[in-house]
Amino acid sequence: MNAPLDPEQARRTEELYAPLTRSLRRLVDVTIRSEAGDADVKRAHRLIDEAAELLGGRLHPEPHPVRTTTEGRFLTWGNVAIGTRNAIAPPLDLRRDETGRVTTDVALGSAYEGPAGHVHGGICALLLDHILGATAHRPGKPAVTGTLTIRYVAPTRLGPLHVEAWVDRDTESKTFACGHITDENGVVSVEAEGVFIRPKAKS
């Protein structure tokens, strides 16, 4: 079991690694789009391997560590949608209004491409799964996806996107949510409906 971090430790670690993760996201993007010469590519390769050796010199013993703070906050550093230490994550910065509607604005580049110039459909599903699920969370009662239905209305171009979700109806154990993705002009490209379940606490 991982020992919880005190909040100050967690803050310092996040501040240390967040810039590194942003650089890794940039590295992924420029690797896809690079037209550098052979010598520069080979030198970059050596430097990346050197960086991996430096970072890998001391690793957490568990392959998928779940970290918490002494205040009970989960540190979602590895989360594929919002992880502050996961270069694969866009990452999403979720906002919730007084009605429970959840929104985020995100710019997706080359790393998320499916059809040429467009976002991979699986990435669209990931964004909607995460943001619809966020409408269902309650204090001390996280929710998990029961079902998710996706309708691809139009191709989603790479670039700035707006994602939002809202609660259609609620029960004690389930939230029925809807949402969509729109482009910078407000045109809907993907719609979703989902059922999110709050598991019963173990007695």
Side-chain angles (χ1 to χ4, degrees):
M1 183 67 180
N2 297 310
L5 302 177
D6 68 59
E8 181 60 21
Q9 274 183 301
R11 184 190 64 78
R12 286 198 310 269
T13 302
E14 287 171 342
E15 288 182 353
L16 177 65
Y17 278 88
L20 171 64
T21 308
R22 287 195 294 271
S23 292
L24 285 170
R25 289 190 187 106
R26 179 169 178 260
L27 178 63
V28 171
D29 181 69
V30 300
T31 299
I32 294 168
R33 298 189 295 119
S34 177
E35 296 182 352
D38 292 8
D40 286 340
V41 172
K42 290 176 180 178
R43 180 167 180 251
H45 186 179
R46 290 193 299 271
L47 291 171
I48 291 167
D49 282 346
E50 183 181 343
E53 289 296 323
L54 285 171
L55 293 171
R58 182 180 170 191
L59 294 173
H60 194 281
E62 295 182 19
H64 312 292
V66 176
R67 306 302 300 266
T68 59
T69 70
T70 52
E71 295 177 328
R73 179 169 74 95
F74 278 91
L75 301 171
T76 53
W77 290 342
N79 186 284
V80 71
I82 60 173
T84 56
R85 290 176 62 172
N86 187 346
I88 297 170
L92 303 181
D93 181 16
L94 304 185
R95 303 179 298 275
R96 184 189 303 271
D97 70 16
E98 63 279 358
T99 70
R101 182 176 292 252
V102 180
T103 62
T104 189
D105 293 293
V106 63
L108 297 184
S110 304
Y112 304 98
E113 185 179 68
H118 293 82
V119 182
H120 192 290
I123 299 299
C124 295
L126 168 69
L127 301 183
L128 286 162
D129 180 39
H130 192 86
I131 198 166
L132 266 70
T135 69
H137 294 306
R138 303 290 179 265
K141 294 182 178 180
V144 296
T145 307
T147 63
L148 184 69
T149 303
I150 303 288
R151 179 169 176 257
Y152 296 94
V153 179
T156 303
R157 290 198 62 81
L158 293 170
L161 300 172
H162 178 75
V163 192
E164 61 182 284
W166 56 93
V167 174
D168 181 54
R169 64 188 190 279
D170 235 343
T171 70
E172 179 62 28
S173 61
K174 295 178 182 177
T175 292
F176 297 79
C178 302
H180 59 228
I181 298 174
T182 60
D183 64 18
E184 57 188 335
N185 298 313
V187 177
V188 174
S189 61
V190 189
E191 298 174 332
E193 296 178 355
V195 181
F196 298 86
I197 301 165
R198 286 178 285 280
K200 292 181 180 179
K202 294 180 181 178
S203 55

